[in-house]
């Protein structure tokens, strides 16, 4: 593995915000699905460590709705308990019966207060029950104000909605080879002025110690006006590339990870959106090229983009003198 | 059509995000009215393919309000069905009568619960009806929280509100000619730092195959401080222009499309807004110039911009040696 | 006025988005108070010409609240009319009396429905009244969803909250003179990365015709890190300045207007804010300099900024050979 | 203190927006906790001076919620007073008793109206009480619309959530020394494209008068792609540094303050966030270096960042010829 000792021009090195000591990192730098960094924070209280708003925004939709429903039930159980302790006589109109029936009547009264339905069949009499219900109605409206704020936040949270090909390919390119992968927008948002940056993380031996190094990969095209169809990102592997003369085994040994960062302007939201993705050595296919994933539909006078074909590639022999290993 | 074979300097070529094979595209690249790309997506489920929030935001106002009303009626029909199945005896105060009358009573009770009006003439008794109404009131508030979020999103969605002249003109300009079109803001928003980019798509023959090529058009002025009046965009057709020596027939044959992209800062929203538009060959008028569309109003001490005149032009003979074809 | 015929280097000319023919403009370009351009739009329907959302956002607070209240009363009057036409017998619990008393009962029932209070003393019976109240409750919630959206928009609308000195001064500066004015933030917002641009509009004689010309004024400092105190903008009047060798009468004759555009980053909103202002010749004071408007408060360990002193200046003799005219 | 008289290259001087006369400033420029400038504004009315929206947004959460609750109680007390003056006979269903009992009944009726619960046990009869309750319900919904707007604003207010090391260090760096401090994100937000600027404020003697001067400090790395782990900011103290040849006593005498400004892109909010911090001479430790604050967790395949260690440093002897003073 003498190759890892060779001096790589410092000019293409970049500061990624990740540590240099390879002992201090393990596994991927980026989680592939969420695009977030594989970092665990410790040392301060859990309440300080989480921005509950960020948590609420990043939560999947179904989980978020269940959370609201469960919170609604718990709050009503608590208030039902309070009304029950104050005494069922302070609520006019309750159909008294067994303890369970009484408690359920009180629970439903609480819900009618919290949601401000207030049918009025059951209504508070006396100071204690009235005061509690006055506070509960306030809390109810406040809660729904907060819920509305959360919905606003979740709705207006800009996301890029980009799909990436599962594999990156080492494909023929001009006289040599290139690292290629592609992406496509899969929703009805409209992205323009898209820009992509690819950093390569690898472990190199320096002074007998393994260290992480990060390099910027030159791209054939790194900016496009509109991201309407698929976009194939091409990094030519030439003398200036940190991947020059690497074969598959070298990639695995150097634990390479291509860190992809896409930034675009969403024209519906009028906001900048970003997305991250990464490829590690076992996800790189040697000697393959992508198949076209769009074609003209003459009848509809439009271009059809088939998202199922995002990772469609065909094997192809590389003519370059690079040793293919897979 | 030997002209299409000539080598055009690669320097003005741009990556637009559209495909190169002319077989893979048909018709316009941009839909003229909405400014969105003429691309149809396939291959993944319709639910994944649409961001319902983007859909809700882009929907016309009237359609959106009807949708809300219809959803309101459907939800109440469903809950009315549930209450009806539970039994009308579980709702105190119903004026019983025919089946239809009973169902309508139940329907109105559902609406009073969903909107949290809760008059209380009809009110639930017994566990089942109470539980359902407890859930319905929760769902009602949640729905209106979501509706509020959607209104927030629709309201705060920044749009440029720019009108474009229906035609682009080939007009006299200095010693030669220029491609001109104009735009004007038609609402009471305030745009500043406006910037325009024009790309030209054309089909050229390369190695016996028709390919799409995209060029950046140099503009006389591409940035202005404030977009308060009309703005005429001028592309001088000189040696550096990809349209140099074209006549009208050439434009039609090359299936040219001028892709216009405007970006500005809306001072009321404090947000960046963008708008797209496009011109194809049949929309280009040869030998014409725009008439002034604003004049001073001495009484009101202001400049009057007449939006009706946006496409007002007069025919004019071109002195340049270019062959006019229309 | 031979001075206006002199050729001014085209390099400092800028595109402001205003017209060139001086006949087509009258009065100031910018309204001083609102900072918006003095342009009146005509030619399309008033509904298309106004973005009602922009109107609602730009409206003064008191006017906006009155508008909501009046709309609330009108909507209830309309619905009261509908219930009254359906017949007061369809509303159970109405204390019947004179026509006016009946109508007021119906009006209050409408309000209780629209706001979803729904006391239930009065409640609809029969299909027609129930259906109308079902729709009214829906409309009520929708209206408040829209109102909430408007409040969100009004609240989150970023404004710079900058005050400008009423006068611009011609003050001594180094060996010569300079045009100076100053601004200060007057609220508890936090502006950083402030940037200012000043364009000068003037009417020049060209080929026997008066035309508007716009020039960029070079500033001593045009960017600062934080706009925490007052900021004096300095344009040195040297050979490169379009105001070089002007005296007060020249300024009046050329109808100069200094168009000021400030852009900053509001750290509370995390948004870019802009503000416009302008000075015309009669607002320029010849031979004066600003007095300091802040001082250290040793007790409170802070700098005190006295906003009352924003326009405080003292007259001073200009040593330069410029003819002062005021 | 002859050192303060030496001429410092004007090239690194920056406009910070703070005054030059040292008499006009006292204490720190930036409040360390809030990051806001130590400026007090005077001279215009308190209502004009505060943007109540900014105030509501910047207020701590608990204080904000108490404020809402207290406002709720006060509004209900006022309306209760009005109903009480109109006369308790205009409210049907009140359980009359002592004055206090009557007032509390009226208070609870007010709350039921304001929150639109409207049980209906108590309901208004007659014009006056009905009209007031009609207005109160309107006001109630409006208030909650405003509260919702404030919650939206508070939630979506982007903050950087960065912690800074309490001390800055003078640490060995290459052949010389450097000023170092570090920061770390402490919440689950995701920052990318982070950029840091450090300005140094110091008091210098110029023409026998003490003046404030501001310098830009060159940083080893001032931009990183992702701020996922801790980030140590390094300013090498070489010939170009305004701190060159300073010792601890010099720093104290010159009243230096390092003004730190961080700007990053929050990928969850898709918004730019900024944060300020500052270090003064007594907060600088001479001869120390930071200990690592993250390590690999092999089991969880992630990097662990221990926020407790943010200010962990060890004393180290400086080999450079600089006189250490602490």
């Amino acid at each position: 593995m003498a190759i890892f000792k060779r001096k790589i021009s410092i000019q293409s090195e970049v500061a990624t915000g990740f540590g240099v000591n390879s002992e201090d990192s393990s596994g991927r730098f980026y989680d592939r699905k969420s695009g977030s960094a594989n970092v665990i924070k410790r040392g301060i209280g859990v309440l300080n460590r989480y921005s509950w708003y960020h948590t609420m925004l990043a939560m999947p939709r179904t989980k978020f709705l269940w959370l609201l429903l469960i919170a609604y039930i718990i709050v009503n159980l608590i208030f039902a308990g309070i009304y029950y302790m104050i005494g069922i006589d302070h609520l006019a109109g309750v159909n008294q019966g067994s303890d369970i029936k009484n408690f359920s009547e009180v629970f439903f009264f609480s819900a009618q207060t919290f949601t401000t339905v207030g049918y009025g069949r059951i209504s508070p009499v006396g100071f204690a029950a009235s005061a509690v219900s006055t506070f509960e109605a306030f809390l109810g409206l406040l809660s729904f104000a907060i819920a509305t704020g959360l919905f606003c936040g979740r709705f207006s949270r800009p996301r890029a909605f980009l799909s990436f090909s599962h594999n990156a390919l080492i494909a023929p390119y001009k006289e040599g080879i290139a690292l290629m992968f592609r992406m496509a927008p899969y929703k009805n948002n409209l992205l323009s002025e898209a820009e992509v940056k690819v950093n390569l993380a690898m472990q190199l031996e320096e002074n007998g110690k393994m260290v992480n190094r990060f390099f910027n990969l030159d791209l054939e095209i790194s900016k496009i006006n509109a991201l309407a169809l698929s976009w194939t990102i091409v990094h030519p592997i030439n003398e200036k590339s940190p991947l020059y003369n690497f074969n598959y085994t070298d990639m695995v040994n150097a634990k390479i990870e291509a860190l992809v960062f896409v930034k675009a302007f969403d024209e519906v939201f009028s906001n900048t959106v970003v997305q991250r993705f990464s490829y590690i050595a076992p996800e790189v296919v040697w000697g393959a090229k992508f198949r076209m994933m769009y074609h003209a539909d003459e009848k509809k006078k439009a271009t059809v983009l088939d998202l199922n074909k995002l990772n469609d590639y065909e094997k192809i022999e590389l003519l370059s003198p690079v040793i293919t290993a897979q």
Side-chain angles (χ1 to χ4, degrees), chain A:
Chain A
M1 293 207 306
I3 199 167
F4 298 116
K5 284 180 187 156
R6 86 208 142 85
K7 207 177 165 100
I8 296 180
S9 158
I10 203 121
Q11 285 167 330
S12 63
E13 257 195 274
V14 286
T16 55
F18 287 104
V20 169
N21 289 327
S22 67
E23 295 157 24
D24 297 320
S25 61
S26 75
R28 301 183 86 115
F29 288 99
Y30 282 102
D31 178 63
R32 208 178 194 199
K33 210 175 150 208
S34 71
S36 60
N38 269 329
V39 173
I40 298 170
K41 279 160 194 165
R42 283 202 195 134
I44 56 168
V46 70
L47 286 176
N48 285 324
R49 213 159 62 215
Y50 284 92
S51 158
W52 69 272
Y53 183 58
H54 275 80
T55 312
M56 288 291 179
L57 248 64
M59 195 180 283
R61 193 179 303 163
T62 331
K63 200 173 164 191
F64 178 67
L65 292 175
W66 274 109
L67 199 88
L68 289 183
L69 183 60
I70 288 163
Y72 173 62
I73 292 169
I74 289 171
V75 165
N76 281 322
L77 284 174
I78 292 169
F79 273 98
I82 296 172
Y83 291 121
Y84 202 77
M85 283 194 298
I86 289 171
I88 204 161
D89 305 331
H90 289 75
L91 297 176
V94 169
N95 292 331
Q96 302 204 0
S98 67
D99 280 3
I100 288 171
K101 189 173 161 44
N102 285 352
F103 189 82
S104 75
E105 286 275 295
V106 165
F107 177 83
F108 294 130
F109 166 72
S110 162
Q112 290 159 22
T113 302
F114 191 76
T115 58
T116 78
V117 168
Y119 296 115
R121 182 172 66 78
I122 308 174
S123 67
V125 285
F127 189 83
S130 294
V132 171
S133 68
T134 292
F135 178 70
E136 189 183 8
F138 170 74
L139 199 73
L141 282 178
L142 218 64
S143 306
F144 284 102
I146 293 173
T148 304
L150 290 177
F151 275 110
C152 279
R154 287 178 67 91
F155 289 164
S156 63
R157 185 192 158 201
R159 269 172 298 174
F161 297 121
L162 289 174
S163 278
F164 288 84
S165 62
H166 182 262
N167 293 112
L169 312 182
I170 301 291
Y173 174 76
K174 288 181 178 168
E175 269 78 59
I177 56 169
L179 179 77
M180 296 186 186
F181 57 89
R182 69 180 172 187
M183 67 181 87
Y186 63 95
K187 294 227 174 179
N188 56 339
N189 53 345
L190 193 55
L191 300 175
S192 60
E193 304 202 322
E195 194 182 341
V196 71
K197 280 182 196 168
V198 185
N199 290 330
L200 188 81
M202 61 166 87
Q203 295 196 355
L204 298 176
E205 197 188 329
E206 278 184 10
N207 308 324
K209 198 177 148 197
M210 296 302 285
V211 293
N212 293 324
R213 285 280 173 242
F214 301 91
F215 302 95
N216 189 45
L217 296 190
D218 290 334
L219 304 178
E220 188 205 26
I221 289 170
S222 63
K223 282 187 193 188
I224 55 173
N225 284 356
L227 188 40
L229 295 172
S230 63
W231 185 18
T232 304
I233 307 298
V234 176
H235 164 64
I237 302 183
N238 52 27
E239 296 80 4
K240 286 185 291 182
S241 167
L243 287 171
Y244 191 57
N245 277 339
F246 269 49
N247 59 23
Y248 179 74
T249 321
D250 293 336
M251 283 188 173
V252 173
N253 287 337
K255 292 186 183 172
I256 64 136
E257 181 174 357
L259 309 165
V260 183
F261 175 76
V262 188
K263 197 175 178 177
F265 186 81
D266 182 323
E267 298 196 5
V268 176
F269 279 114
S270 272
N271 212 329
T272 302
V273 289
V274 297
Q275 197 165 330
R276 296 183 178 280
F277 202 71
S278 83
Y279 295 95
I280 55 173
E283 288 151 8
V284 176
V285 176
W286 279 75
K289 67 169 192 179
F290 285 116
R291 290 202 190 95
M292 287 289 287
M293 62 184 287
Y294 53 86
H295 62 275
D297 184 326
E298 288 297 335
K299 258 199 343 227
K300 299 198 180 175
K301 287 275 180 197
T303 308
V304 174
L305 181 69
D306 189 347
L307 294 162
N308 273 342
K309 296 185 177 165
L310 185 56
N311 201 42
D312 264 24
Y313 59 84
E314 54 196 71
K315 300 290 284 183
I316 192 167
E317 212 179 330
L318 294 178
L319 296 172
S320 81
V322 177
I323 309 133
T324 58
Q326 210 187 29

